[in-house]
Amino acid sequence: MLGPNPDALYPNEAIPSLVFIKNCVKNPNIIAGNYSYYDDPENPEGFEDHVEHLYDFLSDKLVIGNFCAIAKGIRFIMNGANHRMDSVATYPFNILGHGLEKATPSLADLPFKGDTMIGNDVWIGQDVTIMPGITIGDGAIIAANSVVTKDVPPYMIVGGNPARRIRARFNDEIIAYLLELKWWDFSPDKIWRNLDILCDTNPTLAKLQQMK
């Protein structure tokens, strides 16, 4: 086999900090594609611990595409972290019990932003926080220490707190072609055959059209 086994937990025995996410998560509401990895020298198998406030009764999901690279310190804040904002008090009295359960809000009263969607070939740097219901497009890059509060378009580099657009990775023509090409859905054999083009630091439309 050329390339790693997509069903392995540790794809490269020489890098014990790196795991394929889909092979280390157990929560069915965390869905990760092939070859997407989490790199953490302290506890790589603890990726699921970085998906915070993911509760079954809300049924929101974290969906990660293929070939994503996620660095240590990631925090996905899910919808369960939300408090009511339209009441006089934002404080969740009901969680204290002792009769205060009468203040339990209905699900309809809580802000719900939907699923968190991470596209394919997304690179997320160290210590990034992603807020609930965010969509990050294919090919995007999130700079280290960023807090992502808004959707990120495909092939956009963002950074900061809150994260702001820095620049697009490629021109509109190349981005449109890559989104149509969807190389991350190729068979492993086709990907490995085209590594030279996929790793080209000066891509052109003509070069991309040579993939076969």
Side-chain angles (χ1 to χ4, degrees):
M1 175 185 291
L2 181 62
N5 179 355
D7 296 320
L9 178 58
Y10 290 88
N12 185 345
E13 297 79 2
I15 307 179
S17 65
L18 190 150
V19 295
F20 280 156
I21 297 168
K22 78 179 183 74
N23 301 325
C24 74
V25 296
K26 296 179 174 60
N27 190 318
N29 288 338
I30 302 175
I31 303 163
N34 286 330
Y35 304 103
S36 287
Y37 71 74
Y38 175 57
D39 188 359
D40 184 344
E42 296 181 1
N43 183 21
E45 294 184 37
F47 175 84
E48 200 164 319
D49 296 337
H50 298 268
V51 185
E52 303 179 16
H53 306 286
L54 180 60
Y55 303 132
D56 290 342
F57 66 86
L58 287 175
S59 72
D60 54 338
K61 294 179 174 60
L62 168 62
V63 181
I64 301 169
N66 298 329
F67 291 96
C68 291
I70 301 178
K72 68 176 184 177
I74 184 68
R75 295 180 70 201
F76 292 99
I77 309 298
M78 305 300 287
N79 286 281
N82 288 328
H83 293 201
R84 282 184 292 185
M85 295 187 292
D86 54 358
S87 56
V88 174
T90 64
Y91 194 83
F93 293 99
N94 59 290
I95 70 172
L96 302 181
H98 299 281
L100 298 181
E101 297 89 347
K102 68 177 185 178
T104 301
S106 69
L107 293 182
D109 291 330
L110 296 171
F112 187 83
K113 305 291 186 179
D115 296 336
T116 298
M117 308 291 294
I118 312 300
N120 303 279
D121 190 29
V122 172
W123 173 24
I124 301 176
Q126 292 185 184
D127 299 314
V128 166
T129 298
I130 297 175
M131 300 304 288
I134 294 295
T135 294
I136 297 177
D138 298 324
I141 296 174
I142 314 300
N145 300 299
S146 297
V147 178
V148 183
T149 61
K150 296 180 179 179
D151 292 351
V152 179
Y155 290 94
M156 183 65 63
I157 302 172
V158 303
N161 181 6
R164 294 181 172 86
R165 297 185 186 188
I166 298 172
R167 65 175 176 86
R169 292 179 56 199
F170 308 116
N171 64 43
D172 291 345
E173 185 180 43
I174 288 180
I175 290 174
Y177 186 80
L178 287 170
L179 292 174
E180 181 180 353
L181 183 69
K182 299 183 186 299
W183 67 262
W184 42 81
D185 290 335
F186 289 175
S187 68
D189 180 64
K190 186 172 181 178
I191 290 173
W192 313 146
R193 287 201 316 267
N194 288 287
L195 278 182
D196 288 345
I197 297 174
L198 289 171
C199 296
D200 194 316
T201 57
N202 184 31
T204 64
L205 192 59
K207 290 177 183 177
L208 294 173
Q209 290 172 335
Q210 293 174 13
M211 280 198 266
K212 53 188 174 182

